[in-house]
Amino acid sequence: MALATTLLLAGCAGNTVSSATASPHARPAALGTPVVEPDLVAWNIDVRGPDGQGLPPGSGTARAGKAVFDAQCASCHGAAAAGGPMFGTMVGGIGSFKTDKRVLTPGSMYPYAPALFDYIRRAMPLTAPQSLSNDQTYAVTAYLLHLNGLVEQDAEMNAASLAAIRMPNRDGFIVDDRPDTNAVRCMQDCKPLRTSVAVP
């Protein structure tokens, strides 16, 4: 440990010397490329569940979504999302969260419909996440909601209509009110997380 500390200090000292003797024409140290606003647009794709804030322009129906689903999703999720070689069903189970045999489907589990859009756009298809257009994502979302009996086949899903859907399990979640979830991050003169225990 002492040897490592000595070497570390020696390395720091060496850097100080070389900085002091560096050419006045040398470029300042820099890491990477400065980030500009257009660079952030592609990353800023989060959607807020309760009111759908962040949902993009676009629209789609379940009828259009079936074609997208069959081409992009059915190989893993099965025909009509009934379960495939990689994942179980995405249909049914509404109300099962109140039983000891929960069925994890968007219709049974998701409290807000925009969360389904957000997940599909962010993570699907598994082999090419974020490759679906906004219209395709709205359409697949509509298709899954239709299969779960929550929208009509020709109902148009867009930012407004998707946020207006009342999912069956909206009230099935509770607020996490444990004390540590309200903790404020300390950035200066912080107290130790743990204090030593006095020896009796």
Side-chain angles (χ1 to χ4, degrees):
M1 181 66 179
L3 176 60
T5 303
T6 302
L7 292 174
L8 180 61
L9 291 174
C12 291
N15 287 341
T16 302
V17 170
S18 57
S19 295
T21 58
S23 166
H25 303 292
R27 296 176 60 188
L31 297 174
T33 303
V35 176
V36 294
E37 194 62 32
D39 294 335
L40 299 176
V41 172
W43 293 88
N44 187 16
I45 62 170
D46 62 304
V47 173
R48 192 163 64 191
D51 60 6
Q53 181 174 325
L55 283 169
S59 64
T61 65
R63 192 181 299 277
K66 181 182 185 310
V68 180
F69 185 92
D70 289 348
Q72 301 285 341
C73 317
S75 61
C76 292
H77 293 281
M86 292 189 67
F87 301 107
T89 183
M90 298 176 72
V91 180
I94 293 176
S96 65
F97 265 56
K98 297 178 181 177
T99 73
D100 59 354
K101 295 182 180 178
R102 295 180 296 172
V103 180
L104 302 179
T105 69
S108 73
M109 183 175 68
Y110 281 42
Y112 303 106
L116 180 57
F117 177 97
D118 183 59
Y119 183 75
I120 294 170
R121 181 171 66 162
R122 188 180 300 277
M124 294 291 125
L126 192 61
T127 54
Q130 300 181 28
S131 62
L132 298 178
S133 70
N134 290 338
D135 287 347
Q136 289 174 317
T137 306
Y138 275 115
V140 171
T141 302
Y143 181 58
L144 294 174
L145 293 172
H146 172 68
L147 292 175
N148 280 278
L150 300 174
V151 300
E152 297 296 327
Q153 189 172 33
D154 292 315
E156 181 179 293
M157 292 294 99
N158 54 39
S161 60
L162 193 61
I165 294 174
R166 182 165 183 84
M167 299 295 282
N169 200 32
R170 175 175 290 190
D171 299 324
F173 292 81
I174 60 173
V175 175
D176 185 354
D177 60 354
R178 291 172 292 181
D180 56 340
T181 61
N182 295 319
V184 177
R185 183 188 308 174
C186 177
M187 301 298 288
Q188 188 173 5
D189 300 328
C190 305
K191 296 178 181 177
L193 293 176
R194 294 182 181 178
T195 56
S196 59
V197 177
V199 178

